[in-house]
Each structure stands twice: as structure tokens, then as C-alpha cells.
Amino acid sequence: MKTIRLRKGRERSVLKGHPWVFSGAVEGGEAAAGELVEVCDSKGEKIALGWYSPASQIRVRIVPDAPIADLIAEAVGRRAAFYADDAVTAIRLVNAENDLIPGVVADCYAGHVVCQFTSAGADARKEEIADALMKFAPFCQGVSERCDVDSRAKEGLATEPAFRVLRGAEPPELVEIAENGVKFLVDVRRGHKTGFYLDQRDARATVGRLANGADVLNCFCYSGGFGLFARACGAASVTQVDISADALALAKKNEALQHYCGTAMEYVEADVFQFLRKCRDEGRKFDFIVLDPPKFAATKGQLMKAARGYKDINLLAMKLLKPYGTLASFSCSGAMDAEFFRTVLAEAAEDAHRPFQIVAHTHAGADHPVRLSFPEGEYLKGVVLRSIT
């Protein structure tokens, strides 16, 4: 087995359990893409094993000394409680570094497992991983792969074909799932991420509980998740806004799956920033606004620009709230931690000249665990604010 030697003092994060070794920490040693290597300190003493990625700034991803099939079985087994819950038919089975399998995401949609392999080590073992998922994931009908993810290019990995079946049955064009009484159609071939924002399950439930009787504006609605939960919980009206016509078309199909409840539904194809300004200029107000934008900051270097974007959009939303209105605001930018996000929201509230109280914090659900020694795994954060004037 080849050896990667670290610079003096750079072994500390590895010894503390952090799963990444950056290129600047490496003193010497090389290996093929995806090859299993020994990681040694500056004295040559072995401290860990890892998958080598010569094209990536994350040069080595630390892995346990265990068969990959065992790691998959353990990750799937930790989700056993979800399989006993018929109300939820879509869950995350493997959450990458947080489940000790770097660069492996596996999401199950009603028995159809869709994977992303975003590290060289994961990509080199995709066939073995697919076999393990077929064996250990209950009700698994097939395993497919999504390659159209930007992080694969940073690893020097192919991004085509965008979708392919690795094992078992090919999924239907749209997979129907259930989530706590609400049904969704998931486009596993072309949809965002692996097809759906499974990480927002708990947040959708929180928004629904608070939306009864409200006029709701759901921004960056994608396939309509927050808006449909608000509708299911008795919202008076829901306005779904997204820049993508395809997303809105899917949101309308999802609405058609639900029981009729009398909530007035509106769909608007628009840039959210422009739509919010249009509402401001027209004097239009809402009881409840949801902001779930795409990632504004992929790196620390983009953080301050992203902060300005988050502040601007939240400031616009705060000004559109009726008295005692509610704002659910989210950030999926891993470079922005929860404390900084709250600071940005506080500054927006100050500029809006409105006092707010925090009524809830939201995070990814229990099937998206965060490893304690890997804070980067806690990318998603949400804050639900209520105006007290």
C-alpha cells in the first residue's frame, strides 16, 4: 500500500477525526485516483487510511479499515426506524463523510435508490457500492447513478452520462413518494440533487404547522414542497414562485396528487428577487413567506458576497410581511455557519425596521446525520421568524 506523508503538525485534524486531508498538508507521496493509501505523520508513523484524489484540493479522504459493503450495511441499518414509518417513503440511506463513506450519497425513492459518487475513491468503488445497496437496502428495486454534479469535475471524474442504471430495475420517469400525508412526483433523472430535497423534510412539516389560515408566498419553490405542506395544513392561499418553467410544471403535477382542500394556488415563473421587488412596488403583502434559495456561497471566498445576497432577499421579504407575519428563511451554503446566518438575518431585520422573534430552528433530518468531527457536514440551516409588530 502506498504512503502519503503529512507535513509536521498537519496530522492534528486527522487525529481529531476530520475526514479531509488537503493538498497543502501533504509533504510527499502519490497514488492513483481512488487508490487506498496509508496516511502517515511527518515521522512516518501510520495514522489513518484514505482514498487518494490527485486532481482534487482534498487530496485524501479518510476511511475506516473496513470492507465497503460493511460500511453500507451499517449506514442503511442506522435508518431502520424510517422503514417502519409508512408515512415516509423517501429517505437518505448514505450521507457521505457523515456515514464514514466519503463522497457517497444514496437516496431511496419508494424503492429506487439514486446515488452520487463525488470522490475518486467512491467512483472507483461504485459497482461494489451498488451491489451492497441491492443487498442491504430494504425494498430496493434498483440502483442508479447521477453523474451531473459539479463536484465530480473537481475530482477529475466524468459527468456523462448524466444518469444510468447500475443494478436492478430502471425507475419510472417520475417516482411517486409520500411524505407525512403529502405526495410528490420525483424526477430522479433531471431533478435537483438526486431528484428531491429530502433534507428539508422536517422544515416542510414545521412550515405546514405554522401556515394554517395564512396567505403564503413560497419562493424558489422547485417542485412545490413547502407550498404543498402549507396547503395541506390549511393555508388560505399559496403562491409558488420559481424561475424554472419545468419546476413549476412539476409543482402543478404534485398539486394534482393531493386531496382537494379549497386553498387558492398560484404559480409564477419569475426571478425571485425581481418578483419580490414587484410585490413591494405593488404593495402586495403576505402572512407567511418561505425563502429557500440555491447555494449562494460554495467556498469561503464567496462568503461575503453571499451574505449580501442573503441580506438583500431577506430584507425584501421582511418588508412584504403583514403585521405579525412569519418568515421561514434557509441557507444551504456550507461556507456560512448558523451563527453568521443569524447575524445576516438580524441585520436585515434592523434595516427593515421590524422586530422579530425566532420561533424555530430547522436542520436536515435524522437520515442526514452530521458527524461531530466534521462541521462542514452541517450545510443546511433554517430560521423561522415571526414579526412582533
Side-chain angles (χ1 to χ4, degrees):
M1 188 180 296
K2 294 177 182 176
T3 297
I4 303 300
R5 189 175 70 257
L6 303 184
R7 300 180 188 277
K8 186 176 180 180
R10 301 302 292 271
E11 75 281 356
R12 292 172 187 154
S13 64
V14 175
L15 293 173
K16 290 180 178 180
H18 197 281
W20 291 347
V21 175
F22 289 95
S23 58
V26 175
E27 181 71 33
E30 293 183 355
E35 187 173 353
L36 183 67
V37 298
E38 288 186 349
V39 179
C40 299
D41 62 18
S42 59
K43 298 177 182 178
E45 295 182 6
K46 175 185 171 182
I47 59 173
L49 295 175
W51 292 339
Y52 191 74
S53 298
S56 174
Q57 288 297 310
I58 305 173
R59 195 55 47 89
V60 181
R61 288 173 168 82
I62 304 301
V63 295
D65 186 6
I68 190 72
D70 289 355
L71 298 176
I72 294 291
E74 291 167 2
V76 171
R78 285 190 285 270
R79 275 81 172 172
F82 282 91
Y83 295 116
D85 184 1
D86 293 338
V88 176
T89 62
I91 66 169
R92 174 151 295 183
L93 297 176
V94 181
N95 197 31
E97 278 83 346
N98 299 292
D99 276 314
L100 308 180
I101 317 175
V104 179
V105 164
D107 293 333
C108 184
Y109 298 104
H112 296 280
V113 178
V114 184
C115 300
Q116 291 176 330
F117 303 106
T118 59
S119 72
D123 192 69
R125 293 161 180 82
K126 66 174 67 175
E127 302 295 336
E128 188 178 357
I129 292 167
D131 285 337
L133 287 165
M134 286 293 292
K135 180 178 180 180
F136 296 113
F139 318 116
C140 181
Q141 301 175 41
V143 179
S144 302
E145 175 189 11
R146 287 283 297 267
C147 290
D148 55 343
V149 54
D150 292 342
S151 53
R152 281 182 61 86
K154 297 177 181 178
E155 291 281 310
L157 302 174
T159 56
E160 294 289 341
F163 179 89
R164 70 187 185 103
V165 177
L166 298 176
R167 296 289 186 278
E170 182 171 355
E173 193 67 23
L174 296 172
V175 181
E176 184 176 320
I177 65 169
E179 182 180 297
N180 299 316
V182 180
K183 297 177 181 179
F184 294 97
L185 296 171
V186 179
D187 185 348
V188 297
R189 291 169 176 79
R190 293 167 294 274
H192 296 183
K193 303 183 83 170
T194 60
F196 193 67
Y197 289 96
L198 292 176
D199 51 4
Q200 288 283 39
R201 182 190 304 109
D202 291 354
R204 283 188 286 269
T206 298
V207 166
R209 286 193 297 269
L210 296 172
N212 181 264
D215 292 316
V216 177
L217 172 62
N218 182 23
C219 299
F220 308 99
C221 74
Y222 182 44
S223 59
F226 284 106
L228 290 177
F229 264 83
R231 176 185 185 273
C233 292
S237 69
V238 176
T239 301
Q240 309 260 47
V241 183
D242 202 283
I243 199 169
S244 167
D246 290 340
L248 291 172
L250 185 54
K252 291 176 183 178
K253 289 180 180 178
N254 285 334
E255 181 196 344
L257 291 177
Q258 320 307 322
H259 295 295
Y260 177 76
C261 67
T263 300
M265 301 293 294
E266 178 186 5
Y267 295 86
V268 180
E269 182 183 343
D271 174 273
V272 169
F273 282 89
Q274 294 178 6
F275 179 79
L276 293 177
R277 293 188 182 99
K278 183 173 183 286
C279 289
R280 176 197 62 193
D281 295 344
E282 294 175 351
R284 188 175 180 184
K285 301 283 187 177
F286 301 88
D287 298 300
F288 200 132
I289 298 177
V290 179
L291 294 179
D292 188 21
K295 185 186 299 183
F296 284 179
T299 66
K300 288 288 186 182
Q302 300 170 344
L303 185 56
M304 296 314 297
K305 181 179 179 181
R308 291 191 292 272
Y310 282 116
K311 180 180 176 181
D312 288 347
I313 199 167
N314 280 280
L315 174 59
L316 283 167
M318 289 172 177
K319 290 183 175 180
L320 295 182
L321 285 175
K322 297 177 183 178
Y324 313 107
T326 302
L327 169 65
S329 186
F330 303 93
S331 168
C332 63
S333 297
M336 174 174 285
D337 63 29
E339 183 178 358
F340 189 24
F341 186 51
R342 282 184 56 172
T343 298
V344 170
L345 294 176
E347 291 177 353
E350 182 180 358
D351 286 358
H353 305 296
R354 296 188 73 169
F356 286 86
Q357 55 186 194
I358 296 174
V359 296
H361 287 100
T362 68
H363 309 275
D367 56 335
H368 291 66
V370 177
R371 190 170 161 186
L372 193 58
S373 59
F374 183 54
E376 293 87 344
E378 193 172 6
Y379 63 94
L380 180 63
K381 71 285 299 181
V383 182
V384 182
L385 303 169
R386 180 185 292 123
S387 175
I388 50 179
T389 59

